[in-house]
Amino acid sequence: MKNHFKLLAVCAVFAFCACSNLPAPKSTFTFTANPLVPNYFTSDPAPMVVGNTLYLYTGHDECYEDRPGYEGKYGYNLTNWLAFSTKDMIHWNDYGVVLTPTDLAYGEGEAWAAQMLHYKGKYYYFVSMQAGEPYGTKVISVGVGDSPVGPFTDHIGAPLVSDDMTDNGPRGWWNDIDPTVLVDTDGSVWMSWGNGSCFLAKLTEDLKAIDGEIITLNVPQYIEGPWLAKRGDLYYLVYAGFGGRPQPGQGFGEVLNYAVAKSITGPWEFRGQLRGTSENSFTTHPAIVEFKGEWYLFTHDGTQVIDGVKGSGGRRSVIIERLEFDADGNMKPLPFFEK
């Protein structure tokens, strides 16, 4: 993939996070062109803004010939979640591993998509992973900590969402993945998630349970990877959908679609495609965020080469692109729009 996003630093001053309880980073790097993280493969990006700092949480792709992952050598092998931070989108801190699935008593592995929420002074890490008995399926769980980079402990002692709570129709397998959370203007917290079906539910104030009904959103071409955001009076739901180009050995790739609504519960209006298939990756996982007056899209592709190892569907790398909106709140299509 060509580099579509470049940032130039003019008199930029490197600064560490002002959080007094934040440990020193393991390393630092400077971002000048995509992909973002230079030293390991990253996926499923989830940014969070607190004050003047943007934190970024990612999966850690480790699919190699000797560690093939659950789908073979081109599949996925994710064992932990990573964290980064920046104050200017150019100079980045790398905090390394901040959580693994086995940090939770029932967790077995597969550190899939996650999102961090800063809420009432604490940091809540909503993660999707494989759970052991008595669950034996993908679940959504919540870790909690006093720092944006941990340590995190199990907030509930059990999954927030397990397979017995949702119906994915004829598929019925690992539908409970890819959580995205949003604090609404009235203080209520909402979560959307799902593979094959797009679920939405309000959470209890203590973030330990679903508060009421689980809604299934009817949005076209939905596959997985929802992301909730709000801009002005519009809610945005960006997600991975059908309609992409074929990827070598990986089938037809996903594209990024989006819908908008004036209420979190809908009705949701489909606005079309935001971005096309990520290069050399079947999956694409969106996250949009406003930081210091600019909007950004975070996603991943499979183009990076690290220490001679080529990227792939199971060795992805986070990329960043600027987002622009028109007067009606539509997001302007980004490179690799599928025509």
Side-chain angles (χ1 to χ4, degrees), residues 97-321:
V97 176
V98 293
L99 187 69
T100 68
T102 52
D103 290 336
L104 305 176
Y106 50 87
E108 285 191 339
E110 298 183 6
W112 287 14
Q115 185 178 346
M116 187 71 72
L117 177 68
H118 184 220
Y119 179 72
K120 296 186 175 181
K122 290 187 177 293
Y123 296 88
Y124 295 88
Y125 207 176
F126 291 75
V127 300
S128 51
M129 65 180 190
Q130 179 70 23
E133 296 301 329
Y135 309 102
T137 63
K138 297 295 184 294
V139 298
I140 294 174
S141 299
V142 186
V144 62
D146 295 320
S147 159
V149 296
F152 301 102
T153 59
D154 194 334
H155 180 53
I156 304 171
L160 173 63
V161 176
S162 54
D163 197 56
D164 60 319
M165 298 170 61
T166 56
D167 178 13
N168 208 22
R171 284 197 44 185
W173 49 284
W174 49 270
N175 45 310
D176 296 310
I177 63 171
D178 298 354
T180 175
V181 284
L182 175 72
V183 180
D184 208 349
T185 50
D186 64 359
S188 59
V189 182
W190 294 80
M191 182 173 74
S192 181
W193 73 97
N195 177 284
S197 298
C198 186
F199 302 112
L200 175 74
K202 182 182 177 183
L203 303 183
T204 55
E205 190 174 351
D206 61 6
L207 308 185
K208 290 188 175 183
I210 301 296
D211 183 6
E213 178 187 5
I214 295 177
I215 303 167
T216 301
L217 300 182
N218 182 21
V219 287
Q221 304 172 12
Y222 179 86
I223 299 179
E224 60 186 349
W227 184 272
L228 288 170
K230 191 174 184 184
R231 178 180 178 271
D233 62 353
L234 283 180
Y235 297 85
Y236 288 80
L237 179 69
V238 188
Y239 57 91
F242 294 102
R245 293 175 284 120
Q247 299 295 286
Q250 303 174 59
F252 283 86
E254 298 172 336
V255 300
L256 292 184
N257 294 325
Y258 78 104
V260 301
K262 293 187 177 180
S263 167
I264 188 72
T265 56
W268 287 89
E269 176 191 348
F270 183 60
R271 291 282 177 95
Q273 188 185 126
L274 173 61
R275 190 183 189 276
T277 306
S278 287
E279 202 71 13
N280 200 29
S281 173
F282 166 79
T283 65
T284 181
H285 189 94
I288 65 171
V289 69
E290 183 182 19
F291 182 53
K292 297 188 175 180
E294 298 280 353
W295 280 84
Y296 300 93
L297 167 72
F298 290 75
T299 186
H300 60 233
D301 67 17
T303 62
Q304 189 163 219
V305 178
I306 299 177
D307 295 331
V309 178
K310 295 181 179 180
S312 70
R315 293 188 291 271
R316 298 159 292 183
S317 297
V318 169
I319 61 174
I320 309 173
E321 294 171 308

Side-chain angles (χ1 to χ4, degrees), residues 25-104:
K26 295 182 180 301
S27 63
T28 61
F29 60 90
T30 300
F31 176 44
T32 57
N34 282 314
L36 171 65
V37 181
N39 56 327
Y40 29 65
F41 295 108
T42 53
S43 59
D44 300 330
M48 174 187 69
V49 175
V50 179
N52 66 349
T53 303
L54 183 145
Y55 297 92
L56 177 66
Y57 304 88
T58 76
H60 183 192
D61 273 7
E62 297 181 277
C63 181
Y64 298 96
E65 300 297 328
D66 60 338
R67 286 172 284 170
Y70 86 105
E71 283 189 349
K73 69 178 182 179
Y74 299 109
Y76 305 98
N77 183 31
L78 296 99
T79 60
N80 51 58
W81 291 279
L82 308 171
F84 310 87
S85 73
T86 183
K87 292 182 180 296
D88 57 13
M89 298 296 287
I90 301 166
H91 301 100
W92 288 78
N93 299 324
D94 174 3
Y95 295 97
V97 176
V98 293
L99 187 69
T100 68
T102 52
D103 290 336
L104 305 176

Side-chain angles (χ1 to χ4, degrees), residues 5-24:
F5 182 78
K6 292 187 177 180
L7 293 169
L8 299 178
V10 180
C11 299
V13 178
F14 182 84
F16 291 104
C17 175
C19 300
S20 59
N21 59 346
L22 203 64

